[in-house]
Amino acid sequence: MVRRALITGISGQDGSYLAELLLEKGYEVHGIKRRASSFNTQRIDHIYEDPHDSHARFRLHYGDLTDTSSLTRILQEVQPDEVYNLGAQSHVGVSFEVPEYTADTDAIGALRLLEAINFLGLEKKTRYYQASTSELFGLVAETPQSETTPFHPRSPYAAAKLYAHWITVNYREAYGMYACNGILFNHESPRRGETFVTRKITRGLAAIAQGRETCLYMGNIDSLRDWGHARDYVRAMWMMLQQDAPDDFVIATGIQHSVRQFITWAAQDLGLELAFSGTGLEEIATVVSVTGERAPGVKPKDVVMRVDPRYFRPAEVDALLGDASKARKVLNWTPQTSVREMCAEMVDADLNIARKL
Ligand code: NDP
Ligand code: GDR
């Protein structure tokens, strides 16, 4: 029997890697995409299959996490063995601008899916994965953070995800559903959205290197994160749904770096040595030297980064560091790509894009 998976958020970073993984494993993969006025499937176009082909194992359905009727209809039609709820308004900073929409999609969206699974009588058949997040830890009570660390959300995004986390636990306990929370720390890739910090840095510095932009404007560069590669993290999602019993797992590398360090690495990968000067809102990064052929648009003494208060958040999560020992032990999960390798991969990809512009 071919196993069937349904992915919300399939057009996002994680959705695209997860769809690739599940297709490789022989699954029939169904995804929910939103109606948009322009194409929003760039990350999955390479795995698209013509729906007229009766052997196609990849199908997209129009739907939205704010629309119960579409979710119920799609679940009824697909009858999935596994549901991965990755759809979300996933930008923490933006959630302060659109708090109500974020709650509707990220919190109530999860409830709508769980309730539809239950309502359709699929609660014993369908396994459910909830994209939970290290942002739940927020104002951290202990370091590193594990499954037992108390939560203290610091944004409308994190508060919405807290509801989704606990309603997932509740449906597991109340209805015996196989439902898991993956408490994933930040994970990135060349497919990362352009406004998240790592991609903003690699895309921005690559454009500056090619002389297409002049300066990168950043928020809190002292922020500390535990960054991994999205390809490794979607593997953990799948592993969570293959266990005998459902459970919640932290997924992280256990290594922490600053945003400033990531800027330094990305610059190095372009042949740029940077010097940081000034403090707080006055901090800038100046080019000290240029080596190699990757940054013809830059010369020594150019200011390529400035701190801009616009990118500071009303409440910040200063530092996150994960303890994934439970996932290592129970799932036998380990990350394969280091943050340094990932940064180089992202810079290469963004340099290729900038050269073609
Ligand atoms: P992305 O922002 O790249 O993708 C989000 C996806 O959700 C997109 O496909 C988007 O569609 C879709 N979406 C947004 N709103 C709705 C809606 N109302 N109805 C249906 N779909 C919607 O996120 P990631 O791939 O990075 O993250 C995947 C999930 O994991 C998210 O839930 C995120 O919050 C969570 N997470 C991510 C982490 C990370 O570091 N990446 C860490 C921990 C958790 P469209 O393409 O049309 O915008
Ligand atoms: P985060 O990721 O908020 O951790 O949420 P993001 O990359 O947006 O920020 C990481 C840290 O960098 C600081 N920062 C900036 N961030 C952005 N976006 N832009 C800037 O210019 C900038 N300058 C500094 C931020 O303040 C923050 O401290 C991501 C999302 O994928 C969530 O969906 C997910 O749940 C968490 O990771 C785990």
Side-chain angles (χ1 to χ4, degrees):
M1 278 288 282
V2 174
R3 279 186 291 174
R4 231 173 286 138
L6 175 65
I7 304 175
T8 74
I10 195 160
S11 57
Q13 170 189 257
D14 291 7
S16 66
Y17 283 113
L18 180 65
E20 282 173 4
L21 178 79
L22 296 179
L23 287 170
E24 266 167 42
K25 291 189 179 295
Y27 280 71
E28 188 178 301
V29 175
H30 295 254
I32 298 184
K33 70 166 174 174
R34 303 195 284 175
R35 148 76 192 153
S37 65
S38 50
F39 289 122
N40 59 354
T41 53
Q42 297 88 331
R43 294 187 180 100
I44 46 173
D45 283 344
H46 62 290
I47 49 176
Y48 179 80
E49 290 184 55
D50 186 342
H52 300 102
D53 174 356
S54 57
H55 300 293
R57 285 194 294 118
F58 183 74
R59 265 202 67 193
L60 295 177
H61 307 255
Y62 279 111
D64 198 296
L65 283 162
T66 61
D67 180 45
T68 307
S69 57
S70 65
L71 300 177
T72 312
R73 176 180 49 75
I74 295 164
L75 279 165
Q76 183 163 33
E77 190 183 323
V78 175
Q79 301 272 316
D81 300 293
E82 296 171 14
V83 169
Y84 295 87
N85 183 27
L86 311 186
Q89 191 303 93
S90 74
H91 200 285
V92 174
V94 172
S95 77
F96 289 96
E97 314 289 328
V98 286
E100 190 178 328
Y101 174 72
T102 303
D104 197 6
T105 302
D106 299 12
I108 307 301
L111 173 68
R112 290 186 182 103
L113 271 177
L114 287 161
E115 188 50 25
I117 291 170
N118 221 18
F119 173 76
L120 293 168
L122 293 171
E123 73 280 3
K124 293 285 179 275
K125 168 187 167 74
T126 302
R127 295 186 169 201
Y128 178 85
Y129 173 87
Q130 173 60 31
S132 215
T133 165
S134 52
E135 285 293 300
L136 299 185
F137 299 119
L139 199 62
V140 298
E142 63 188 24
T143 296
Q145 297 87 49
S146 72
E147 294 80 3
T148 56
T149 304
F151 297 139
H152 185 141
R154 294 270 284 168
S155 62
Y157 167 80
K161 285 284 187 176
L162 184 72
Y163 176 86
H165 182 95
W166 280 114
I167 201 68
T168 301
V169 173
N170 181 247
Y171 271 60
R172 179 167 79 213
E173 292 173 353
Y175 304 113
M177 277 180 63
Y178 191 112
C180 302
N181 285 295
I183 308 171
L184 271 51
F185 282 61
N186 299 53
H187 46 279
E188 321 289 314
S189 74
R191 296 185 199 166
R192 185 60 145 150
E194 287 87 346
T195 59
F196 296 96
V197 79
T198 55
R199 185 75 199 285
K200 178 170 168 177
I201 293 165
T202 59
R203 198 209 64 79
L205 288 181
I208 292 167
Q210 290 300 301
R212 301 195 178 279
E213 291 178 19
T214 51
C215 189
L216 188 58
Y217 293 92
M218 301 297 303
N220 175 19
I221 62 173
D222 290 317
S223 177
L224 299 166
R225 286 291 182 275
D226 176 334
W227 283 296
H229 196 298
R231 205 181 295 111
D232 287 334
Y233 285 44
V234 301
R235 198 159 30 81
M237 296 176 187
W238 176 77
M239 286 170 149
M240 282 180 219
L241 294 200
Q242 313 312 312
Q243 304 304 303
D244 291 338
D247 205 348
D248 306 325
F249 293 91
V250 160
I251 300 296
T253 68
I255 303 169
Q256 187 186 57
H257 295 283
S258 66
V259 171
R260 188 186 285 98
Q261 177 67 70
F262 199 92
I263 296 172
T264 305
W265 286 333
Q268 277 169 3
D269 291 334
L270 291 161
L272 304 175
E273 187 194 339
L274 300 185
F276 290 84
S277 59
T279 52
L281 295 180
E282 304 300 319
E283 187 160 359
I284 59 171
T286 311
V287 175
V288 176
S289 65
V290 183
T291 48
E293 306 296 320
R294 301 190 113 193
V298 178
K299 53 187 188 323
K301 297 200 177 142
D302 283 356
V303 175
V304 291
M305 192 280 312
R306 287 181 188 277
V307 169
D308 180 341
R310 173 196 312 219
Y311 297 108
F312 282 75
R313 295 167 182 181
E316 174 64 295
V317 174
D318 294 318
L320 290 172
L321 177 65
D323 171 4
S325 38
K326 179 174 164 186
R328 285 174 197 268
K329 191 163 158 239
V330 178
L331 304 177
N332 199 19
W333 176 85
T334 47
Q336 314 271 298
T337 308
S338 72
V339 61
R340 190 66 193 90
E341 290 164 339
M342 183 185 73
C343 176
E345 183 189 339
M346 292 173 71
V347 169
D348 285 352
D350 278 322
L351 191 57
N352 277 338
I353 294 171
R355 280 178 170 149
K356 284 184 198 141
L357 286 174

